[in-house]
Amino acid sequence: HRQSGDYVRWRMIENSEGKLVPQSNARFVRWSDGSMTMHVGSEVLDATVADFEGSRNQLFAREIKGGDVVQCQGVLRNKFV
């Protein structure tokens, strides 16, 4: 059983300049020894960066209102493991 605070959540909020920016309950911390951890709620996880095999991995997003529109957001070169 996982606590509800241990899921990665995000939402769009308006900043002090009136622009929409993402806000999340997850944070990445890079330590002085070069290691990284991901903090989600009260849970702390080791985060290691690995290269994708090849360079054909891309991130696509479907437009919420249009439904049939899919737009490439970029090429993925690394992943967290």
Side-chain angles (χ1 to χ4, degrees):
H1 171 62
R2 295 177 61 92
Q3 296 180 6
S4 62
D6 292 343
Y7 291 97
V8 175
R9 292 191 167 102
W10 69 274
R11 64 182 176 179
M12 299 300 287
I13 62 165
E14 195 172 298
N15 69 9
S16 60
E17 299 171 353
K19 295 181 181 180
L20 286 178
V21 295
Q23 180 187 56
S24 177
N25 68 329
R27 302 286 180 261
F28 285 95
V29 176
R30 184 178 303 273
W31 299 95
S32 60
D33 65 358
S35 65
M36 285 182 25
T37 52
M38 182 173 81
H39 300 246
V40 182
S42 61
E43 192 169 357
V44 179
L45 305 161
D46 289 333
T48 304
V49 177
D51 290 335
F52 271 118
E53 297 297 322
S55 61
R56 297 180 186 249
N57 299 291
Q58 299 174 345
L59 175 65
F60 287 85
R62 184 178 304 273
E63 188 175 311
I64 294 172
K65 295 179 183 175
D68 292 334
V69 177
V70 178
Q71 182 178 10
C72 181
Q73 302 297 308
V75 176
L76 302 177
R77 298 189 189 340
N78 305 96
K79 61 183 175 181
F80 287 104
V81 293

